[in-house]
PDB file of all heavy atoms in Angstrom:
ATOM      1  N   THR A 107      96.708 103.179  55.739  1.00  0.00           N
ATOM      2  CA  THR A 107      96.451 103.464  54.319  1.00  0.00           C
ATOM      3  C   THR A 107      96.684 102.224  53.454  1.00  0.00           C
ATOM      4  O   THR A 107      95.892 101.916  52.554  1.00  0.00           O
ATOM      5  CB  THR A 107      97.353 104.607  53.853  1.00  0.00           C
ATOM      6  OG1 THR A 107      97.150 105.752  54.702  1.00  0.00           O
ATOM      7  CG2 THR A 107      97.036 104.998  52.422  1.00  0.00           C
ATOM      8  N   MET A 108      97.743 101.482  53.745  1.00  0.00           N
ATOM      9  CA  MET A 108      98.032 100.284  52.967  1.00  0.00           C
ATOM     10  C   MET A 108      96.982  99.194  53.206  1.00  0.00           C
ATOM     11  O   MET A 108      96.636  98.448  52.276  1.00  0.00           O
ATOM     12  CB  MET A 108      99.427  99.767  53.312  1.00  0.00           C
ATOM     13  CG  MET A 108     100.544 100.721  52.941  1.00  0.00           C
ATOM     14  SD  MET A 108     102.174 100.122  53.431  1.00  0.00           S
ATOM     15  CE  MET A 108     102.399  98.770  52.299  1.00  0.00           C
ATOM     16  N   LEU A 109      96.474  99.088  54.417  1.00  0.00           N
ATOM     17  CA  LEU A 109      95.416  98.117  54.681  1.00  0.00           C
ATOM     18  C   LEU A 109      94.132  98.467  53.939  1.00  0.00           C
ATOM     19  O   LEU A 109      93.363  97.571  53.571  1.00  0.00           O
ATOM     20  CB  LEU A 109      95.139  98.040  56.186  1.00  0.00           C
ATOM     21  CG  LEU A 109      96.227  97.390  57.048  1.00  0.00           C
ATOM     22  CD1 LEU A 109      95.856  97.470  58.518  1.00  0.00           C
ATOM     23  CD2 LEU A 109      96.451  95.942  56.633  1.00  0.00           C
ATOM     24  N   MET A 110      93.899  99.749  53.720  1.00  0.00           N
ATOM     25  CA  MET A 110      92.741 100.155  52.925  1.00  0.00           C
ATOM     26  C   MET A 110      92.969  99.896  51.441  1.00  0.00           C
ATOM     27  O   MET A 110      92.075  99.445  50.727  1.00  0.00           O
ATOM     28  CB  MET A 110      92.436 101.633  53.160  1.00  0.00           C
ATOM     29  CG  MET A 110      91.945 101.960  54.557  1.00  0.00           C
ATOM     30  SD  MET A 110      91.617 103.726  54.744  1.00  0.00           S
ATOM     31  CE  MET A 110      91.033 103.779  56.450  1.00  0.00           C
ATOM     32  N   LEU A 111      94.178 100.182  50.968  1.00  0.00           N
ATOM     33  CA  LEU A 111      94.460 100.019  49.543  1.00  0.00           C
ATOM     34  C   LEU A 111      94.462  98.557  49.112  1.00  0.00           C
ATOM     35  O   LEU A 111      94.092  98.240  47.976  1.00  0.00           O
ATOM     36  CB  LEU A 111      95.808 100.661  49.203  1.00  0.00           C
ATOM     37  CG  LEU A 111      95.890 102.187  49.287  1.00  0.00           C
ATOM     38  CD1 LEU A 111      97.306 102.668  49.012  1.00  0.00           C
ATOM     39  CD2 LEU A 111      94.914 102.822  48.306  1.00  0.00           C
ATOM     40  N   VAL A 112      94.889  97.662  50.003  1.00  0.00           N
ATOM     41  CA  VAL A 112      94.980  96.263  49.614  1.00  0.00           C
ATOM     42  C   VAL A 112      93.596  95.649  49.407  1.00  0.00           C
ATOM     43  O   VAL A 112      93.462  94.619  48.727  1.00  0.00           O
ATOM     44  CB  VAL A 112      95.773  95.478  50.683  1.00  0.00           C
ATOM     45  CG1 VAL A 112      94.915  95.164  51.901  1.00  0.00           C
ATOM     46  CG2 VAL A 112      96.369  94.207  50.105  1.00  0.00           C
ATOM     47  N   LEU A 113      92.557  96.267  49.931  1.00  0.00           N
ATOM     48  CA  LEU A 113      91.194  95.758  49.747  1.00  0.00           C
ATOM     49  C   LEU A 113      90.595  96.141  48.402  1.00  0.00           C
ATOM     50  O   LEU A 113      89.556  95.595  48.013  1.00  0.00           O
ATOM     51  CB  LEU A 113      90.288  96.285  50.871  1.00  0.00           C
ATOM     52  CG  LEU A 113      90.648  95.850  52.297  1.00  0.00           C
ATOM     53  CD1 LEU A 113      89.738  96.535  53.298  1.00  0.00           C
ATOM     54  CD2 LEU A 113      90.572  94.333  52.437  1.00  0.00           C
ATOM     55  N   ILE A 114      91.226  97.085  47.686  1.00  0.00           N
ATOM     56  CA  ILE A 114      90.701  97.551  46.404  1.00  0.00           C
ATOM     57  C   ILE A 114      91.082  96.559  45.308  1.00  0.00           C
ATOM     58  O   ILE A 114      92.267  96.234  45.145  1.00  0.00           O
ATOM     59  CB  ILE A 114      91.241  98.955  46.075  1.00  0.00           C
ATOM     60  CG1 ILE A 114      90.854  99.936  47.193  1.00  0.00           C
ATOM     61  CG2 ILE A 114      90.727  99.437  44.737  1.00  0.00           C
ATOM     62  CD1 ILE A 114      91.434 101.320  47.009  1.00  0.00           C
ATOM     63  N   PRO A 115      90.117  96.056  44.536  1.00  0.00           N
ATOM     64  CA  PRO A 115      90.454  95.141  43.432  1.00  0.00           C
ATOM     65  C   PRO A 115      91.322  95.848  42.391  1.00  0.00           C
ATOM     66  O   PRO A 115      91.092  97.003  42.032  1.00  0.00           O
ATOM     67  CB  PRO A 115      89.092  94.762  42.855  1.00  0.00           C
ATOM     68  CG  PRO A 115      88.120  95.020  43.962  1.00  0.00           C
ATOM     69  CD  PRO A 115      88.662  96.195  44.722  1.00  0.00           C
ATOM     70  N   GLY A 116      92.330  95.151  41.931  1.00  0.00           N
ATOM     71  CA  GLY A 116      93.279  95.720  40.988  1.00  0.00           C
ATOM     72  C   GLY A 116      94.530  96.239  41.658  1.00  0.00           C
ATOM     73  O   GLY A 116      95.572  96.372  41.009  1.00  0.00           O
ATOM     74  N   ILE A 117      94.459  96.563  42.936  1.00  0.00           N
ATOM     75  CA  ILE A 117      95.639  97.008  43.684  1.00  0.00           C
ATOM     76  C   ILE A 117      96.158  95.870  44.552  1.00  0.00           C
ATOM     77  O   ILE A 117      97.341  95.549  44.529  1.00  0.00           O
ATOM     78  CB  ILE A 117      95.313  98.254  44.533  1.00  0.00           C
ATOM     79  CG1 ILE A 117      94.894  99.415  43.628  1.00  0.00           C
ATOM     80  CG2 ILE A 117      96.516  98.645  45.386  1.00  0.00           C
ATOM     81  CD1 ILE A 117      94.540 100.678  44.380  1.00  0.00           C
ATOM     82  N   GLY A 118      95.271  95.264  45.329  1.00  0.00           N
ATOM     83  CA  GLY A 118      95.661  94.127  46.144  1.00  0.00           C
ATOM     84  C   GLY A 118      95.510  92.828  45.372  1.00  0.00           C
ATOM     85  O   GLY A 118      94.556  92.632  44.615  1.00  0.00           O
ATOM     86  N   ALA A 119      96.469  91.923  45.538  1.00  0.00           N
ATOM     87  CA  ALA A 119      96.444  90.621  44.853  1.00  0.00           C
ATOM     88  C   ALA A 119      95.629  89.631  45.669  1.00  0.00           C
ATOM     89  O   ALA A 119      95.756  89.566  46.895  1.00  0.00           O
ATOM     90  CB  ALA A 119      97.870  90.101  44.658  1.00  0.00           C
ATOM     91  N   GLU A 120      94.817  88.851  44.990  1.00  0.00           N
ATOM     92  CA  GLU A 120      93.954  87.874  45.649  1.00  0.00           C
ATOM     93  C   GLU A 120      94.521  86.478  45.451  1.00  0.00           C
ATOM     94  O   GLU A 120      94.817  86.061  44.331  1.00  0.00           O
ATOM     95  CB  GLU A 120      92.537  87.949  45.082  1.00  0.00           C
ATOM     96  CG  GLU A 120      91.548  87.030  45.783  1.00  0.00           C
ATOM     97  CD  GLU A 120      90.131  87.194  45.260  1.00  0.00           C
ATOM     98  OE1 GLU A 120      89.929  88.049  44.378  1.00  0.00           O
ATOM     99  OE2 GLU A 120      89.243  86.450  45.731  1.00  0.00           O
ATOM    100  N   ARG A 125      92.409  88.714  49.907  1.00  0.00           N
ATOM    101  CA  ARG A 125      93.122  89.831  49.280  1.00  0.00           C
ATOM    102  C   ARG A 125      94.020  90.461  50.349  1.00  0.00           C
ATOM    103  O   ARG A 125      93.623  91.358  51.087  1.00  0.00           O
ATOM    104  CB  ARG A 125      92.115  90.858  48.749  1.00  0.00           C
ATOM    105  CG  ARG A 125      92.704  91.811  47.721  1.00  0.00           C
ATOM    106  CD  ARG A 125      91.639  92.757  47.206  1.00  0.00           C
ATOM    107  NE  ARG A 125      90.542  92.038  46.579  1.00  0.00           N
ATOM    108  CZ  ARG A 125      90.537  91.651  45.313  1.00  0.00           C
ATOM    109  NH1 ARG A 125      91.583  91.917  44.540  1.00  0.00           N
ATOM    110  NH2 ARG A 125      89.505  91.001  44.815  1.00  0.00           N
ATOM    111  N   TRP A 127      97.837  90.832  49.766  1.00  0.00           N
ATOM    112  CA  TRP A 127      99.188  91.090  49.300  1.00  0.00           C
ATOM    113  C   TRP A 127      99.225  92.196  48.257  1.00  0.00           C
ATOM    114  O   TRP A 127      98.269  92.414  47.507  1.00  0.00           O
ATOM    115  CB  TRP A 127      99.801  89.829  48.674  1.00  0.00           C
ATOM    116  CG  TRP A 127      99.960  88.697  49.619  1.00  0.00           C
ATOM    117  CD1 TRP A 127     101.052  88.404  50.398  1.00  0.00           C
ATOM    118  CD2 TRP A 127      99.001  87.661  49.894  1.00  0.00           C
ATOM    119  NE1 TRP A 127     100.827  87.281  51.133  1.00  0.00           N
ATOM    120  CE2 TRP A 127      99.577  86.790  50.857  1.00  0.00           C
ATOM    121  CE3 TRP A 127      97.707  87.398  49.428  1.00  0.00           C
ATOM    122  CZ2 TRP A 127      98.911  85.689  51.348  1.00  0.00           C
ATOM    123  CZ3 TRP A 127      97.043  86.290  49.927  1.00  0.00           C
ATOM    124  CH2 TRP A 127      97.635  85.455  50.875  1.00  0.00           C
ATOM    125  N   PHE A 128     100.367  92.867  48.220  1.00  0.00           N
ATOM    126  CA  PHE A 128     100.757  93.716  47.092  1.00  0.00           C
ATOM    127  C   PHE A 128     101.772  92.912  46.285  1.00  0.00           C
ATOM    128  O   PHE A 128     102.850  92.582  46.789  1.00  0.00           O
ATOM    129  CB  PHE A 128     101.388  95.031  47.561  1.00  0.00           C
ATOM    130  CG  PHE A 128     100.414  95.975  48.208  1.00  0.00           C
ATOM    131  CD1 PHE A 128     100.553  96.312  49.536  1.00  0.00           C
ATOM    132  CD2 PHE A 128      99.370  96.523  47.483  1.00  0.00           C
ATOM    133  CE1 PHE A 128      99.668  97.191  50.133  1.00  0.00           C
ATOM    134  CE2 PHE A 128      98.474  97.395  48.074  1.00  0.00           C
ATOM    135  CZ  PHE A 128      98.623  97.729  49.410  1.00  0.00           C
TER     136      PHE A 128
END
Side-chain angles (χ1 to χ4, degrees):
T107 304
M108 296 177 70
L109 290 176
M110 293 180 179
L111 292 176
V112 78
L113 297 175
I114 302 176
I117 298 179
E120 184 176 358
R125 198 178 300 274
W127 297 269
F128 290 116

